[in-house]
Amino acid sequence: MITLNWSSSFKRAFKRTIKKDPLYKDKIINSMLLLQQDPFNPTLKTHKLKGILEGSWSCSVDYELRIIFDLITNPEINETEILLIDIGTHDEVY
């Protein structure tokens, strides 16, 4: 299982998203659990980003909501971890 690290911008965006629509909370948690188990699970539609966010990845929570993240290597334990960067609608995060 891969470790998920929440950036401060992700925490703010998560709170903002939940405040707008509390029903998103369970969907987001389920997507994060899938992401933790397998970042390339077909359900997540994970894809590499281009342009200003090049090097980062995106996965889908549902039709509108996206999670932006980076795959990083922890030098202390030499394992891959996920840094959650942002969450929001397509227009908010891209």
Side-chain angles (χ1 to χ4, degrees):
M1 198 170 274
I2 299 173
T3 303
L4 296 179
N5 297 313
W6 294 41
S7 69
S8 56
S9 61
F10 183 84
K11 289 176 188 176
R12 282 191 304 273
F14 179 79
K15 288 177 186 176
R16 181 183 68 237
T17 302
I18 299 304
K19 189 174 181 179
K20 266 196 283 189
D21 188 351
L23 297 177
Y24 271 138
K25 185 174 183 176
D26 289 336
K27 288 182 181 182
I28 295 169
I29 298 297
N30 287 335
S31 294
M32 288 171 52
L33 289 172
L34 273 176
L35 188 64
Q36 192 172 24
Q37 292 169 1
D38 178 13
F40 300 102
N41 184 314
T43 307
L44 295 172
K45 301 177 187 164
T46 301
H47 59 280
K48 201 166 205 159
L49 299 176
K50 298 178 183 175
I52 230 170
L53 294 171
E54 188 169 354
S56 295
W57 296 80
S58 175
C59 69
S60 297
V61 173
D62 66 3
Y63 180 75
E64 293 222 358
L65 207 59
R66 307 284 188 276
I67 295 175
I68 307 298
F69 65 94
D70 282 341
L71 293 171
I72 57 173
T73 302
N74 183 333
E76 294 175 8
I77 56 176
N78 202 26
E79 288 187 12
T80 301
E81 295 182 349
I82 294 175
L83 176 62
L84 301 170
I85 299 172
D86 201 2
I87 187 167
T89 64
H90 186 276
D91 292 337
E92 290 172 345
V93 296
Y94 294 127

